[in-house]
Amino acid sequence: MTTPDRYISRLRLTSFRNYTSAALDLDHRHVVLVGENGAGKTNLIEAVSLLSPGRGLRRAPFESLALSGSDGMWAVAATVETPFGPADMGTGATTDTAAARRVRINGANARSVEEMSDYLRVLWLIPAMDGIFSGPAADRRRFLDRLVTTLIPGHSAAVGDFEKAMRQRNRLLEENGDPAWLSAIETQMAETASAIHFARADSLAHLQGVMAANVADTGFPEALLELSPLFEDSVPGTASALEAELVGRWKTARALDKAAGRTTFGPHRVDLAVTHKDKAMPAGLCSTGEQKALLIGLVLVHARLVAQMTGITPLLLLDEIAAHLDPRRRAALFDALDKLRTQCWMTGTDPVLFADLGARAQRFAVDAGQLARMPG
């Protein structure tokens, strides 16, 4: 296995989930975590996912992350090996409110959580995402926004800002609020909505191009991707024009939205359509195995896109990834990971599932929040 440009060489947890404390010292190889359900495998990779913008792979409130019975404080710290030398990164609960978190990089407070993306990018697949193609549109939007955030770190904050402003608008409509204040909120919404829309559309266009050129190397099927339009008619092609269009339409729709009790159109209503290219079939109608293969292929290709566009190949967190793959698919996955040249963290209940990785992985047993290095 070729040494990746970036990987975690040291991980420390303090009062996080079911870990009073935990320490891993690592080399560049993949990381396999083996243990029974409930032992803390997913908790460990959730901690790694917090070394990126957003709320991590479970999207959990920060105040829920602390060890039960503790004082509410928790911390995750890592050393990331980069082409420019090691970088020390950490995140944890703030002292003033457990609902927020702070980030420190190389001993100094970071200006924003997005600053972590200068050193590390993170992507993940978890079992809860297995039904994403047949589930509600909100799940696909969250999946898409995670992909976009790995490319554009500020995207997650833009989505959060839009949703906060939209909730304010909904309350003002319900309370017959000041029209001037409504206009100000709608202007703010339009600015973030435009940024969200173009970030999604541009990222999908780049992803589709990279997929067409590279998916054969992954051993997984190619997907066709399409974002549903913001409106039934045409969408303006520039940010300023789209902002003006949204402001006008939201003003016109105030009575309708008040009656509906929600904002009836905007980036929070779009959907991601995914089609199995070879079968010309919507992903949601494919078999469970085919949907899993499409999802894995999407993430593998997106990792290549992030590497091409940012120069940083993302770390991959794959929770229970091997359990539902046949031997051929598992071998294809392991080979594709080697081609990516990244450190991948994988969890499972049976070490046999990872036997084909051989010396390409370092293995740890997880038992009730305790870690032990396994031979091999």
Side-chain angles (χ1 to χ4, degrees):
M1 176 182 174
T2 305
T3 303
D5 289 337
R6 294 169 193 259
Y7 63 92
I8 292 177
S9 61
R10 180 178 180 271
L11 181 69
R12 300 290 187 267
L13 308 185
T14 304
S15 296
F16 184 86
R17 294 290 193 185
N18 68 326
Y19 292 92
T20 302
S21 64
L24 285 178
D25 292 297
L26 306 163
D27 57 41
H28 67 275
R29 294 175 296 162
H30 303 311
V31 180
V32 171
L33 306 170
V34 179
E36 296 181 355
N37 293 328
K41 304 183 303 296
T42 305
N43 291 343
L44 191 66
I45 63 170
E46 180 185 25
V48 177
S49 75
L50 290 168
L51 300 172
S52 66
R55 297 211 308 268
L57 57 79
R58 284 191 176 111
R59 303 185 70 252
F62 296 132
E63 62 267 27
S64 71
L65 299 179
L67 178 72
S68 179
S70 70
D71 61 2
M73 304 304 291
W74 58 271
V76 177
T79 298
V80 179
E81 304 299 328
T82 81
F84 313 103
D88 293 323
M89 299 170 53
T91 187
T94 63
T95 55
D96 51 346
T97 171
R101 64 163 167 157
R102 67 171 182 169
V103 172
R104 290 179 64 81
I105 298 176
N106 293 326
N109 290 329
R111 292 164 294 180
S112 68
V113 294
E114 287 79 20
E115 196 172 330
M116 289 189 289
S117 298
D118 294 341
Y119 303 89
L120 189 69
R121 309 276 170 131
V122 187
L123 277 173
W124 54 78
L125 280 178
I126 60 175
M129 297 164 66
D130 285 352
I132 194 169
F133 299 132
S134 54
D139 290 346
R140 288 183 290 279
R141 280 194 301 274
R142 280 194 290 270
F143 172 67
L144 172 60
D145 286 333
R146 183 65 230 169
L147 297 183
V148 177
T149 298
T150 315
L151 277 172
I152 307 168
H155 180 74
S156 178
V159 172
D161 289 345
F162 173 81
E163 292 175 349
K164 179 179 178 181
M166 181 175 63
R167 289 192 294 270
Q168 291 178 315
R169 177 180 185 266
N170 293 343
R171 283 197 299 271
L172 282 169
L173 288 173
E174 181 182 1
E175 298 166 0
N176 295 314
D178 183 351
W181 184 234
L182 266 171
S183 294
I185 292 292
E186 288 164 352
T187 297
Q188 179 185 349
M189 287 171 60
E191 292 174 356
T192 53
S194 177
I196 291 167
H197 170 74
F198 285 111
R200 287 171 173 171
D202 291 348
S203 296
L204 274 187
H206 287 298
L207 179 57
Q208 193 71 75
V210 173
M211 180 170 292
N214 293 279
V215 74
D217 279 350
T218 70
F220 289 86
E222 182 176 353
L224 299 177
L225 311 169
E226 186 177 7
L227 195 64
S228 66
L230 282 172
F231 329 118
E232 292 183 0
D233 46 354
S234 62
V235 175
T238 66
S240 58
L242 178 56
E243 290 172 22
E245 183 74 15
L246 284 166
V247 167
R249 290 185 183 231
W250 277 325
K251 182 176 182 179
T252 301
R254 287 175 185 173
L256 172 64
D257 289 355
K258 178 182 178 182
R262 57 186 174 85
T263 299
T264 52
F265 65 88
H268 63 295
R269 301 286 294 171
V270 303
D271 197 358
L272 173 66
V274 181
T275 302
H276 191 303
K277 182 182 178 183
D278 291 342
K279 304 189 78 169
M281 180 184 293
L285 300 180
C286 293
S287 70
T288 301
E290 288 170 333
Q291 291 187 40
K292 184 85 170 183
L294 280 168
L295 189 57
I296 293 172
L298 262 174
V299 169
L300 291 173
V301 171
H302 187 69
R304 291 194 181 195
L305 172 62
V306 175
Q308 290 179 16
M309 295 190 69
T310 70
I312 302 174
T313 305
L315 209 74
L316 296 185
L317 311 176
L318 306 179
D319 194 19
E320 300 290 348
I321 191 65
H324 302 294
L325 297 178
D326 60 37
R328 180 179 65 86
R329 287 289 193 206
R330 284 201 299 272
L333 172 63
F334 297 156
D335 288 345
L337 294 177
D338 288 344
K339 292 174 183 176
L340 274 178
R341 295 184 60 216
T342 189
Q343 188 184 60
C344 178
W345 295 56
M346 291 169 274
T347 72
T349 56
D350 189 346
V352 173
L353 295 173
F354 304 99
D356 288 344
L357 279 169
R360 293 176 288 176
Q362 50 204 313
R363 297 163 173 80
F364 297 87
V366 185
D367 183 16
Q370 301 294 315
L371 302 171
R373 186 179 290 271
M374 299 171 67

